Amino acid sequence: MKIYNTLSRKVEDFIPIEPGKVKMYVCGPTPYDRSHIGHARTYIFFDFLRRFLEFKGYSVRYVVNLTDVDDKIIRRADQMGGWQVVGDVYSRYFFDVLGKLRVKPPLTYPRVSNHIQEIIQLVQTLLDRGYAYRLDDGIYFDVSRFSGYGKLSKVDLNSEKISRIEPNPNKRNPADFALWKFAKPGEPFWYAPFGKGRPGWHIECSAMSSRYLGEQFDIHGGGADLIFPHHENEIAQSEAAFGKEPWVKYWVHVAFLTIDKTKMSKSLGNIIGIDELLERFEPEVVRFYLLSAHYRTQLDFTWEKMEKAREQWAKIAKAAFSVARRLKENDFGTDSAVAELESAFSEMISHLENDLHTPKAYSAINKIADTVLSADLDRESTELASRILSDIDRIFAIIPRNLMNDREYSLVRLLLDVREYFRESGNYKMSDSIREGLREWGIDVQDAGKVSKVNLKFKK
Ligand code: AMP
Ligand code: ZN
């Protein structure tokens, strides 16, 4: 498998540090507001990456942190009754919508506020090793002491961008950043040997990743906005403190999701919450859409594109339903499609192995759906299609799970038998009314000769 590494700016062979095991850390949200569809893109992508690695047989140790000590959280604290409440409320919201989106929970969601001791220890190590120094408002990292500074982002240390970072005229270098901020009135603080205060922005990820994954690990991810300064600073702190290089083997970044070609922002009022999306679309459609663009290309969201994605997705869902029905009813035809199905599936896998090329993988999935829907599949091909579709679901989680459970299915079958009875006795008024009723439930009844077949129709 190959994956693009932001550190080398190249697509590289993926070889984890320990054979068969992958350790992956992704920067989590600052839970101060409802999660939006930009977050959904990033966390669905890493969930998909984790699922694909698991499909390939790796055991994946996956960690996503929660930045629950932060300026934005503190700003909302008074309004909501404390910074802990803000973090709690919006973390819960995050778990809830991610659960609905079928994102598998990571091993853990560590919070900054539960890892202050680890952070203090790390800051102390950096002070002891001469990488950090004290100013009047906090402890800072001295970037000139770390020769590799800039290797991830290739940032120009003399640029404008740098001078805007954590301005303090007494800093030794413009790019120096706070590891620890001394307590200010009204802000949460913790006692530390070097002075009471709270962590700076970057130190948490070095502390929490090493706590759960060790001092070196395979994949570190996040949205592309985090490359600089966040991830650059994480590397500096971690390699300086742990003395191991590289701290992280592969850096993976997801390009941004925009709305109508502009950035989502509060001032523009164009933020779409994940719950808003889920009100209108099935979770599988949301995943299908958000994974439809390659993760390194910007994805521009519009409601029309969502509708279009649902049409494409409906074909896959319909194929899954048709396979499930054939198996349930033991209704097989005579067409063999084993060769086509196998070749389309291995095509899909090889596109994914090539830097997770989802758009190309989607055309292979489309082929699989076309094959299922256009042929009268025999038993062997149906069973193969069923295995393939469930593998596709393991990787992408895009096949609707509850097409129908057994009880619902039995009930629908019963209604179809009743309808059949009316049809045979010429009571078309009743049989049509049952058909209409089922249609409202999203079930499309097609009369094929004497037997009525059901097909799910995916409309809301
Ligand atoms: P935040 O809560 O803003 O710190 O973001 C949490 C994660 O979501 C980070 O990895 C961000 O890079 C990512 N993220 C935020 N906004 C977007 C967006 N519009 N598109 C993709 N990822 C995003
Ligand atoms: Zn981070």
Coordinates of all heavy atoms in Angstrom, one line a residue, residues 3 24-27 40-53 60 62 64 103 219-223 251-254 287 291 295:
I3 N 1.0 5.6 0.4 CA 0.3 6.7 1.0 C 1.2 8.0 0.9 O 2.4 7.9 1.0 CB -0.1 6.4 2.4 CG1 -1.2 7.5 2.9 CG2 1.1 6.4 3.4 CD1 -2.0 7.0 4.1
M24 N -2.0 5.2 15.2 CA -2.4 6.4 14.5 C -3.1 7.4 15.4 O -3.9 7.0 16.2 CB -3.5 6.0 13.4 CG -4.1 7.1 12.7 SD -4.8 6.5 11.1 CE -6.5 6.3 11.5
Y25 N -2.6 8.6 15.3 CA -3.2 9.7 16.2 C -3.7 10.8 15.3 O -3.0 11.2 14.3 CB -2.0 10.2 17.0 CG -2.4 11.4 18.0 CD1 -2.8 11.1 19.3 CD2 -2.4 12.7 17.6 CE1 -3.1 12.1 20.2 CE2 -2.8 13.7 18.5 CZ -3.1 13.4 19.8 OH -3.5 14.4 20.6
V26 N -4.9 11.3 15.6 CA -5.5 12.3 14.8 C -5.9 13.5 15.7 O -6.5 13.2 16.7 CB -6.7 11.8 13.9 CG1 -7.4 13.0 13.3 CG2 -6.2 10.9 12.8
C27 N -5.6 14.7 15.4 CA -5.9 15.8 16.2 C -7.4 16.0 16.2 O -8.1 16.1 15.2 CB -5.3 17.1 15.7 SG -3.5 17.1 15.9
A40 N -16.7 16.6 9.7 CA -17.2 15.3 9.3 C -16.3 14.7 8.2 O -15.9 13.6 8.2 CB -18.6 15.4 8.8
R41 N -15.8 15.6 7.3 CA -14.9 15.1 6.2 C -13.7 14.5 6.8 O -13.3 13.4 6.5 CB -14.6 16.3 5.3 CG -13.6 15.7 4.2 CD -13.1 16.7 3.2 NE -12.6 16.0 2.0 CZ -11.9 16.5 1.1 NH1 -11.5 17.7 1.1 NH2 -11.5 15.7 0.1
T42 N -13.0 15.3 7.7 CA -11.8 14.8 8.3 C -11.9 13.5 9.1 O -11.2 12.6 8.9 CB -11.2 16.0 9.1 OG1 -10.7 17.0 8.2 CG2 -10.0 15.5 10.0
Y43 N -12.9 13.5 10.0 CA -13.0 12.3 10.8 C -13.6 11.1 10.1 O -13.3 9.9 10.4 CB -13.8 12.6 12.1 CG -13.0 13.6 12.9 CD1 -13.5 15.0 13.0 CD2 -11.8 13.3 13.4 CE1 -12.7 15.9 13.6 CE2 -11.0 14.3 14.1 CZ -11.5 15.6 14.2 OH -10.7 16.5 14.8
I44 N -14.4 11.3 9.1 CA -14.9 10.2 8.2 C -13.7 9.6 7.4 O -13.5 8.5 7.3 CB -16.1 10.6 7.4 CG1 -17.3 10.7 8.2 CG2 -16.3 9.5 6.2 CD1 -18.6 11.2 7.5
F45 N -12.9 10.6 6.9 CA -11.7 10.1 6.2 C -10.8 9.2 7.0 O -10.4 8.1 6.6 CB -10.9 11.2 5.6 CG -9.6 10.7 5.0 CD1 -9.6 10.0 3.8 CD2 -8.4 10.8 5.7 CE1 -8.4 9.4 3.3 CE2 -7.2 10.2 5.2 CZ -7.2 9.6 4.0
F46 N -10.5 9.6 8.2 CA -9.6 8.8 9.1 C -10.2 7.5 9.5 O -9.6 6.5 9.7 CB -9.0 9.7 10.2 CG -7.9 10.6 9.7 CD1 -8.2 12.0 9.6 CD2 -6.7 10.1 9.3 CE1 -7.2 12.8 9.1 CE2 -5.7 10.9 8.8 CZ -6.0 12.3 8.7
D47 N -11.6 7.6 9.7 CA -12.3 6.4 10.0 C -12.2 5.4 8.9 O -11.9 4.2 9.1 CB -13.8 6.7 10.3 CG -14.6 5.5 10.6 OD1 -14.3 4.8 11.6 OD2 -15.5 5.2 9.8
F48 N -12.3 5.9 7.7 CA -12.2 5.1 6.5 C -10.8 4.5 6.3 O -10.6 3.3 6.0 CB -12.6 5.9 5.3 CG -12.0 5.6 4.0 CD1 -12.3 4.4 3.3 CD2 -11.0 6.4 3.4 CE1 -11.6 4.1 2.1 CE2 -10.4 6.1 2.3 CZ -10.7 5.0 1.6
L49 N -9.8 5.4 6.6 CA -8.4 4.9 6.6 C -8.2 3.8 7.6 O -7.6 2.7 7.3 CB -7.4 6.1 6.8 CG -5.9 5.7 7.0 CD1 -5.4 5.0 5.7 CD2 -5.1 7.0 7.1
R50 N -8.7 4.0 8.8 CA -8.6 3.0 9.8 C -9.2 1.7 9.4 O -8.7 0.6 9.5 CB -9.2 3.5 11.1 CG -9.3 2.5 12.2 CD -10.7 2.3 12.7 NE -10.7 1.5 13.9 CZ -11.2 1.8 15.1 NH1 -11.7 3.0 15.3 NH2 -11.2 0.9 16.1
R51 N -10.4 1.8 8.8 CA -11.2 0.6 8.4 C -10.4 -0.1 7.3 O -10.4 -1.3 7.2 CB -12.6 1.0 7.9 CG -13.6 1.4 9.0 CD -14.7 2.1 8.4 NE -15.8 2.3 9.3 CZ -16.8 1.5 9.5 NH1 -16.9 0.4 8.8 NH2 -17.8 1.7 10.4
F52 N -9.8 0.7 6.4 CA -9.1 0.0 5.3 C -7.9 -0.7 5.8 O -7.6 -1.8 5.3 CB -8.8 1.1 4.2 CG -8.1 0.4 3.0 CD1 -8.8 -0.6 2.3 CD2 -6.9 0.8 2.5 CE1 -8.2 -1.2 1.2 CE2 -6.3 0.2 1.4 CZ -7.0 -0.8 0.7
L53 N -7.2 -0.1 6.7 CA -6.0 -0.7 7.3 C -6.4 -2.0 8.0 O -5.8 -3.1 7.9 CB -5.3 0.2 8.3 CG -4.6 1.4 7.6 CD1 -4.2 2.4 8.7 CD2 -3.3 0.9 6.8
V60 N -5.1 -1.9 14.4 CA -4.9 -0.4 14.4 C -5.2 0.1 15.8 O -6.3 -0.1 16.3 CB -5.8 0.3 13.4 CG1 -5.6 1.8 13.4 CG2 -5.6 -0.3 12.0
Y62 N -5.9 3.4 17.4 CA -6.3 4.8 16.9 C -6.7 5.7 18.1 O -7.5 5.3 18.9 CB -7.4 4.6 15.9 CG -8.0 5.8 15.3 CD1 -7.2 6.9 14.9 CD2 -9.4 5.9 15.0 CE1 -7.7 8.0 14.3 CE2 -9.9 7.0 14.5 CZ -9.1 8.1 14.1 OH -9.6 9.2 13.5
V64 N -7.9 9.8 19.1 CA -8.3 11.1 18.8 C -8.5 11.9 20.0 O -9.2 11.5 20.9 CB -9.7 11.1 18.0 CG1 -10.1 12.5 17.7 CG2 -9.6 10.3 16.7
V103 N -18.9 6.3 12.4 CA -17.5 6.4 12.7 C -17.2 5.5 13.9 O -17.8 5.6 14.9 CB -17.1 7.9 13.0 CG1 -15.6 7.9 13.5 CG2 -17.2 8.7 11.7
I219 N 1.2 6.9 12.1 CA 0.5 7.9 11.3 C 0.0 9.0 12.2 O -0.6 8.8 13.3 CB -0.8 7.3 10.6 CG1 -0.3 6.2 9.6 CG2 -1.6 8.4 9.9 CD1 -1.5 5.5 8.9
H220 N 0.2 10.3 11.8 CA -0.4 11.4 12.5 C -1.2 12.2 11.5 O -0.7 12.5 10.4 CB 0.7 12.3 13.1 CG 0.2 13.3 14.1 ND1 -0.9 14.0 13.9 CD2 0.7 13.7 15.3 CE1 -1.1 14.8 14.9 NE2 -0.2 14.6 15.8
G221 N -2.4 12.5 11.8 CA -3.3 13.1 10.8 C -4.0 14.3 11.4 O -4.0 14.6 12.6
G222 N -4.7 15.0 10.4 CA -5.5 16.1 10.8 C -5.9 16.8 9.5 O -5.5 16.4 8.4
G223 N -6.6 17.9 9.6 CA -6.9 18.7 8.4 C -5.7 19.5 8.0 O -4.7 19.7 8.8
W251 N 2.9 11.5 7.8 CA 2.0 12.6 8.1 C 0.9 12.7 7.1 O 1.2 12.8 5.9 CB 2.7 14.0 8.2 CG 3.5 14.1 9.5 CD1 4.8 13.7 9.7 CD2 3.1 14.7 10.7 NE1 5.2 13.9 11.0 CE2 4.1 14.5 11.6 CE3 1.9 15.2 11.1 CZ2 4.1 15.0 12.9 CZ3 1.8 15.7 12.4 CH2 2.9 15.6 13.3
V252 N -0.4 12.6 7.5 CA -1.5 12.6 6.5 C -2.4 13.7 6.8 O -2.9 13.9 7.9 CB -2.2 11.2 6.6 CG1 -3.4 11.1 5.7 CG2 -1.3 10.0 6.4
H253 N -2.7 14.5 5.7 CA -3.5 15.7 5.9 C -4.7 15.7 4.9 O -4.5 15.4 3.7 CB -2.7 17.0 5.8 CG -1.7 17.1 6.9 ND1 -0.4 16.8 6.8 CD2 -1.9 17.5 8.2 CE1 0.2 17.0 8.0 NE2 -0.7 17.5 8.8
V254 N -5.8 16.0 5.4 CA -7.0 16.1 4.6 C -7.3 17.5 4.1 O -7.3 18.4 5.0 CB -8.3 15.6 5.4 CG1 -9.5 15.6 4.5 CG2 -8.0 14.2 5.9
R287 N -21.5 9.9 4.1 CA -20.2 9.2 4.0 C -19.8 9.1 2.5 O -18.7 9.4 2.1 CB -20.1 7.9 4.7 CG -20.3 7.9 6.2 CD -20.1 6.5 6.8 NE -18.8 6.0 6.6 CZ -17.8 5.9 7.5 NH1 -18.1 6.3 8.7 NH2 -16.6 5.4 7.2
L291 N -16.5 11.0 1.0 CA -15.4 10.2 0.5 C -15.2 10.2 -1.0 O -14.3 9.6 -1.5 CB -15.5 8.8 1.1 CG -15.4 8.6 2.6 CD1 -15.7 7.2 3.0 CD2 -13.9 8.9 3.0
Y295 N -8.9 12.5 -0.9 CA -8.7 13.3 0.4 C -7.8 14.5 0.3 O -7.8 15.4 1.1 CB -8.3 12.4 1.5 CG -6.8 11.9 1.4 CD1 -5.9 12.5 2.2 CD2 -6.5 10.8 0.6 CE1 -4.5 12.1 2.1 CE2 -5.1 10.4 0.6 CZ -4.2 11.1 1.3 OH -2.9 10.7 1.3

